[in-house]
Amino acid sequence: RSNATIQGSGTLTTQGITTLNMASANSNLTLYGSRTWLNQGTVNISGDDFINFSNTNGAPTLINVGTATVNLSGSRLEPFSGSGTFNNQGTLNQLSSNHTLSQIAFHNPGTVNVQAARLNLATTGTDTGPYNVDAGTTLEISAGTRTLAPGSSITGSGTFLISGSGIATVNTPHSLTLGNLTLNGGELNGSGNVTITGPLNLTGGNTTIQGSGTLTTQGITTLNMASANSNLTLYGSRTWLNQGTV
């Protein structure tokens, strides 16, 4: 059939392999009410299918526990829709074409592996686990506020991009070391220290770095924004310590 529904207020626990690969185009699995889906196995979201969170009579939640895996291997841009919460305590793998998380709250105390294309976080949430970004791939924050809290990290030779209205916040006592950062609009914020060991590229319109922490740049920083008369604005008591080339 085209669409499937799981509703009610109980907890659905899956311990094996769950595969979304429906015959009809753009089909979905809809979670209704206050249903909690506790994944203890593997969830494969493939084809052009997606999971729809319906907030009718509640707010559904998907919890990917510490030993479990969710694989984004489909062709649909947004694998999740509606209004709900995805708590990734296990492993989330970005395996195929570009994917955007924009409609649901996403929290990552687990591990996210960006192994193909682009994973765009266009939603508010808190991160206390690692993001591993492979060469040739991109982790993007394009909307909402991501709080990069103690325990979070962004590693790998892929691109870390903050764009649009996206905000990345690093507050003390946490400090963050990045291999690279591209700001295409967007904002870096917070009281925590951020060190960029490689390139810092400013490519879009006006960009903001604010807060009270120290930004240390050790590679090449390039301001070459696409929009005319664009600027990088430093707000607050932010200190920029350049140890490379601007």
Side-chain angles (χ1 to χ4, degrees), residues 40-234:
Q40 297 177 344
T42 299
V43 175
N44 297 313
I45 304 176
S46 56
D48 56 4
D49 302 323
F50 62 101
I51 298 174
N52 178 44
F53 293 75
S54 173
N55 63 355
T56 303
N57 298 321
T61 300
L62 169 60
I63 302 174
N64 190 44
V65 303
T67 56
T69 300
V70 173
N71 292 319
L72 304 181
S73 56
S75 59
R76 182 182 173 87
L77 180 63
E78 297 210 25
F80 304 100
S81 70
S83 180
T85 301
F86 177 16
N87 289 319
N88 177 49
Q89 301 169 0
T91 300
L92 173 65
N93 293 318
Q94 156 69 16
L95 298 176
S96 60
S97 57
N98 295 342
H99 290 112
T100 296
L101 308 185
S102 68
Q103 299 183 43
I104 61 170
F106 174 69
H107 306 290
N108 180 48
T111 298
V112 174
N113 298 313
V114 184
Q115 298 176 336
R118 179 185 307 244
L119 179 62
N120 179 11
L121 304 177
T123 181
T124 293
T126 299
D127 302 307
T128 55
Y131 288 86
N132 304 312
V133 188
D134 288 356
T137 70
T138 299
L139 173 67
E140 180 177 6
I141 299 173
S142 68
T145 299
R146 304 295 313 170
T147 300
L148 299 169
S152 66
S153 63
I154 299 172
T155 62
S157 55
T159 298
F160 177 40
L161 168 64
I162 306 173
S163 67
S165 61
I167 300 173
T169 298
V170 181
N171 285 321
T172 53
H174 191 42
S175 60
L176 190 66
T177 298
L178 302 171
N180 66 81
L181 175 61
T182 298
L183 291 168
N184 185 355
E187 180 180 313
L188 179 63
N189 200 343
S191 60
N193 297 332
V194 176
T195 299
I196 305 171
T197 61
L200 169 59
N201 295 310
L202 298 103
T203 61
N206 294 336
T207 298
T208 301
I209 297 176
Q210 63 174 304
S212 57
T214 296
L215 170 67
T216 302
T217 52
Q218 298 176 331
I220 297 175
T221 299
T222 303
L223 278 73
N224 189 11
M225 301 174 180
S227 302
N229 301 309
S230 294
N231 66 77
L232 167 64
T233 298
L234 301 179

Side-chain angles (χ1 to χ4, degrees), residues 17-58:
I17 298 175
T18 301
T19 301
L20 275 74
N21 192 8
M22 302 173 181
S24 300
N26 298 309
S27 295
N28 68 78
L29 167 62
T30 295
L31 302 178
Y32 276 104
S34 55
R35 171 71 67 178
T36 296
W37 179 0
L38 188 67
N39 176 48
Q40 297 177 344
T42 299
V43 175
N44 297 313
I45 304 176
S46 56
D48 56 4
D49 302 323
F50 62 101
I51 298 174
N52 178 44
F53 293 75
S54 173
N55 63 355
T56 303
N57 298 321

